[in-house]
Amino acid sequence: MRFNKQQWSWIFYDWANSGYGIIVTTAVLPVYFKAVAQGNGVSAANSTAYWGYANSFGTLLVSILAPVLGALADYPGYKKRMLNIFALVGVVMTLLLSVVPTSQWSWLLVVYILSIIGYSGGNLFYDSFLTDVSDNKDMDKVSSYGYGFGYLGGVLAFILFLILQLTSGFGMLSSYGVAKWSFVLAAVWWIIFYIPLIRNVKQVYSVKANAHPITSSFKRVLETLKHIKKYKAVAWFLVAYFFYIDGVDTIFTMATSIGMDMGITTTTLMLVLLVVQLVAFPFSILYGWLADKTSTRTGIFIGIILYLGICLYALKLTTVTDFWILAVLVGTSQGGIQALSRSYFGRLIPKESGSEFFGFYNILGKFSAVMGPVLVGIVTQITGKSTIGAASLSILFLIGLVIFSYLPKLSKVKI
């Protein structure tokens, strides 16, 4: 499919911040922080707890403010301004991670929390720009290419990090030095590939300008909540999304722990992560093609059903080969179901208030990351097997599937 300049520029923001997602959040900073904290006398248990608190606090803060921030971004000219502010915070804080002294583990956490706020807040406004750069007809493909190229960008950034890691910075860096330079890489990657969006993407839809936009934003959010019956399809989709996306996120975040329980080495787990990203690239785009040939609703149904199969397959995990198969299956649907959920939602909402509604989308997506891990933890403790814990996530997909199946009865929108 041919995309115009605005659409490609929007797509490449997903590529831009993918380096942060895989290097800072997933692969490097968690290990680096634990090493720094324990080197300063913090116990392994406490360092893990502090890391969890930092992640929860940063995402929770953005999630709570998301609807109001989104409502503010719906005023003329505000959406890109808000994206620029949060992206700049994310980039600067990512750079600062590389200069925080290794003796200051607490400051490392503070800077990381600020980088999460920049990253998560930026994604809210980025998602809401989807309705500005595409119409209902091509929204699925644009959204799918965004996720697909995000995974590809993450793979390339991660490969550059691996080159630094395997060569010890071409013989010039310690392990700490490699980690610090990887943060610089993530920040530079982010800003370079963000430039096209800054130059080419413009806000098309907006609400009427207001002399007091901040106060008015709070009032608009309250009005939306008071009259939620007007948006019945939106509300029920968010409930369904809350359940099934919780399962999607939990499988990804808990996979490393399950692999370690199976005795899989850290090197192999890193390689698995890389392969999942590679597989997710073409399959995210394939989901967009599938939605075009059938419907967005059908594509989401397929994604949820495949995840149900993945949960049940977890019951037979006994070998490294089984784990590899599970990882590849996750890669086939992870990006696709997220991309089509984003475009499905984009069709349901009033475009002039798109950022406000994507704020609610953001808050449900973030809050959903609580229930799944708790469910896995409880079932794992009861049974003594993390594979059964992973299989228990099928409950979330079943609930999401049932609720989602009723959506066509709630909306006349052809999706």
Side-chain angles (χ1 to χ4, degrees):
M1 177 180 179
R2 287 190 175 184
F3 295 127
N4 59 39
K5 186 184 291 185
Q6 271 209 104
Q7 290 168 337
W8 275 119
S9 299
W10 180 86
I11 286 167
F12 266 90
Y13 183 79
D14 220 322
W15 174 297
N17 67 14
S18 62
Y20 176 92
I22 194 167
I23 290 174
V24 176
T25 303
T26 306
V28 182
L29 186 58
V31 178
Y32 175 72
F33 169 73
K34 283 186 71 70
V36 168
Q38 290 176 43
N40 284 277
V42 180
S43 69
N46 282 338
S47 64
T48 298
Y50 294 150
W51 179 255
Y53 298 152
N55 277 284
S56 297
F57 181 75
T59 54
L60 182 64
L61 184 61
V62 173
S63 297
I64 291 172
L65 295 175
V68 175
L69 290 173
L72 181 61
D74 284 325
Y75 290 105
Y78 271 77
K79 191 180 293 189
K80 186 182 283 188
R81 193 181 307 172
M82 300 291 285
L83 176 55
N84 287 341
I85 290 170
F86 278 86
L88 182 61
V89 168
V91 169
V92 171
M93 292 302 125
T94 302
L95 276 174
L96 285 180
L97 288 171
S98 66
V99 298
V100 175
T102 55
S103 59
Q104 301 295 323
W105 64 269
S106 56
W107 277 107
L108 193 64
L109 271 189
V110 171
V111 173
Y112 174 56
I113 289 170
L114 293 173
S115 75
I116 293 174
I117 291 171
Y119 175 75
S120 300
N123 280 341
L124 159 62
F125 306 113
Y126 164 69
D127 284 344
S128 67
F129 261 117
L130 176 62
T131 57
D132 294 289
V133 301
S134 61
D135 55 27
N136 285 352
K137 183 179 178 182
D138 59 10
M139 200 173 286
D140 290 326
K141 287 190 175 180
V142 174
S143 182
S144 297
Y145 268 74
Y147 268 100
F149 273 79
Y151 285 119
L152 182 60
V155 166
L156 295 179
F158 192 59
I159 288 174
L160 291 176
F161 157 71
L162 286 177
I163 292 172
L164 278 177
Q165 174 80 4
L166 295 173
T167 63
S168 296
F170 303 101
M172 295 183 289
L173 299 173
S174 64
S175 58
Y176 278 7
V178 169
K180 289 184 175 185
W181 276 103
S182 73
F183 305 146
V184 175
L185 167 64
V188 171
W189 190 269
W190 192 342
I191 196 66
I192 287 176
F193 293 106
Y194 176 38
I195 291 173
L197 189 150
I198 295 173
R199 296 182 61 182
N200 302 319
V201 175
K202 293 178 174 58
Q203 181 175 353
V204 175
Y205 298 101
S206 62
V207 296
K208 188 177 179 181
N210 189 288
H212 306 285
I214 296 177
T215 304
S216 179
S217 296
F218 278 97
K219 290 180 179 178
R220 282 176 46 224
V221 170
L222 292 174
E223 283 297 309
T224 299
L225 290 172
K226 280 168 55 178
H227 300 98
I228 196 66
K229 289 183 179 179
K230 288 171 54 181
Y231 308 105
K232 192 178 289 186
V234 173
W236 278 108
F237 169 74
L238 287 175
V239 174
Y241 176 73
F242 174 84
F243 282 101
Y244 73 73
I245 209 65
D246 190 5
V248 171
D249 290 340
T250 304
I251 286 176
F252 185 74
T253 55
M254 298 298 291
T256 301
S257 297
I258 294 169
M260 292 176 73
D261 288 345
M262 294 174 61
I264 298 173
T265 65
T266 303
T267 302
T268 301
L269 288 172
M270 287 284 186
L271 188 58
V272 168
L273 176 64
L274 186 63
V275 170
V276 168
Q277 302 276 316
L278 276 171
V279 171
F281 165 57
F283 274 91
S284 296
I285 295 172
L286 181 63
Y287 263 81
W289 175 86
L290 177 66
D292 185 55
K293 296 299 180 183
T294 55
S295 70
T296 316
R297 179 174 175 271
T298 299
I300 294 174
F301 262 123
I302 290 172
I304 296 174
I305 291 168
L306 280 172
Y307 264 101
L308 272 170
I310 289 168
C311 290
L312 296 177
Y313 184 80
L315 289 170
K316 73 175 293 292
L317 285 180
T318 54
T319 67
V320 176
T321 301
D322 292 332
F323 189 81
W324 271 104
I325 293 172
L326 182 76
V328 171
L329 287 173
V330 169
T332 62
S333 297
Q334 183 182 24
I337 195 170
Q338 293 182 86
L340 295 189
S341 296
R342 180 168 62 184
S343 57
Y344 188 100
F345 187 71
R347 282 191 179 87
L348 286 176
I349 60 177
K351 289 181 170 56
E352 68 277 4
S353 300
S355 295
E356 178 191 349
F357 278 84
F358 266 105
F360 288 107
Y361 182 84
N362 181 281
I363 199 172
L364 265 294
K366 292 291 187 295
F367 280 178
S368 71
V370 175
M371 187 166 50
V374 171
L375 177 62
V376 172
I378 292 172
V379 174
T380 299
Q381 284 189 315
I382 293 172
T383 63
K385 293 184 177 181
S386 57
T387 52
I388 297 178
S392 69
L393 292 171
S394 58
I395 297 169
L396 302 181
F397 289 109
L398 280 171
I399 295 172
L401 184 66
V402 170
I403 297 172
F404 186 71
S405 67
Y406 282 95
L407 276 171
K409 298 178 183 178
L410 301 172
S411 174
K412 296 180 180 179
V413 182
K414 186 179 179 182
I415 44 181

